[in-house]
Amino acid sequence: MIDVSVLITCKDKEQFLDECISSVLRQTKMPKEIIVVHDECDNPVHHTQVTTIMLKTNLGVCRARQEAFRYCMGKLILFLDGDDMISPDYLEKMTLVIASGADIAYPDIYFFGDTGNSLNTSFGKIEPKLVSRLGKLPIPVTCLMRREVYETLNGFVDFPVLEDMDFWLRAMCKHYTFKKAQTLLWYRQEGQKRNAMDEGKKKKILAEILGQFNISDNQITKIV
């Protein structure tokens, strides 16, 4: 067992939740705990091998993650959406990266679902020049981080989408280090996901997030 808290949030994705939890229970190195937050789900599913938190009103994913964090005890934190899955060696490989000195470990991503299948292994070192070139950070929320990273950054800001990008940019401002692990996140894509919102609205939120920072090739500083 490793000192990791896996924090799963679910909003009406119960049809996928068994697969998600099973992927955690199949790990080569088991986490200290698995906490599932049902964010006002219509048909919540109870699992005997996890701690379940039932929210009677919809708080949204950021506040639901905060509720999960309030009850967790691990020195390392992994957030996981209820319709995604992780490879069997995910926690083992990610923990080794943290043990090597990194603050945040990130995976390769296999996208699957309604929009087809694709493997994203093209990004390398996470650094300011990558953000300035792409205008985004191509890493998921499902990174493994030291607990103090989340605590120092005071969690996620409640943006409708891209809250993880804002979080990682703030982490870069604090000079937390990112390192890639040779493992795979299985990221489900489907039409009803919140990330499938109107592209115009998404671009406005992206502009709002990026507008908080001064991004150069060598550094990122918070200006708002």
Side-chain angles (χ1 to χ4, degrees), residues 71-91:
Y71 293 97
C72 77
M73 301 176 64
K75 292 182 180 179
L76 301 175
I77 304 297
L78 182 85
F79 290 102
L80 180 60
D81 291 338
D83 56 348
D84 296 334
M85 296 177 288
I86 55 178
S87 291
D89 64 356
Y90 199 88
L91 294 182

Side-chain angles (χ1 to χ4, degrees), residues 67-224:
E67 285 300 301
F69 182 79
R70 285 179 56 204
Y71 293 97
C72 77
M73 301 176 64
K75 292 182 180 179
L76 301 175
I77 304 297
L78 182 85
F79 290 102
L80 180 60
D81 291 338
D83 56 348
D84 296 334
M85 296 177 288
I86 55 178
S87 291
D89 64 356
Y90 199 88
L91 294 182
E92 181 176 5
K93 294 288 184 64
M94 298 283 260
T95 304
L96 288 174
V97 167
I98 298 292
S100 73
D103 298 305
I104 300 157
Y106 62 96
D108 288 324
I109 309 172
Y110 184 74
F111 296 94
F112 70 103
D114 293 350
T115 58
N117 303 332
S118 64
L119 178 63
N120 187 348
T121 61
S122 59
F123 53 88
K125 187 176 181 182
I126 302 299
E127 54 188 355
K129 64 181 179 182
L130 181 68
V131 184
S132 60
R133 177 166 57 87
L134 299 178
K136 62 181 181 179
L137 271 174
I139 55 175
V141 72
T142 314
C143 297
L144 185 67
M145 73 183 86
R146 299 181 189 273
R147 186 184 187 93
E148 57 264 30
V149 173
Y150 186 88
E151 292 175 330
T152 300
L153 298 178
N154 293 315
F156 296 92
V157 176
D158 198 8
F159 288 103
V161 291
L162 301 175
E163 76 292 332
D164 49 344
M165 179 178 180
D166 169 78
F167 184 87
W168 301 131
L169 288 173
R170 289 187 286 122
M172 294 178 79
C173 287
K174 294 289 187 181
H175 306 292
Y176 288 118
T177 55
F178 296 75
K179 188 175 179 181
K180 187 175 180 178
Q182 298 301 317
T183 189
L184 200 62
L185 167 68
W186 295 68
Y187 186 95
R188 191 184 305 271
Q189 298 184 109
E190 53 169 328
Q192 297 304 310
K193 270 199 153 184
R194 65 194 182 97
N195 283 355
M197 71 160 48
D198 176 79
E199 283 300 314
K201 292 181 181 179
K202 197 170 180 179
K203 286 180 179 178
K204 287 182 179 180
I205 295 169
L206 174 61
E208 181 182 351
I209 290 172
L210 292 177
Q212 302 175 104
F213 303 90
N214 180 28
I215 303 174
S216 67
D217 282 352
N218 299 316
Q219 66 177 5
I220 296 180
T221 53
K222 192 94 161 59
I223 58 176
V224 176

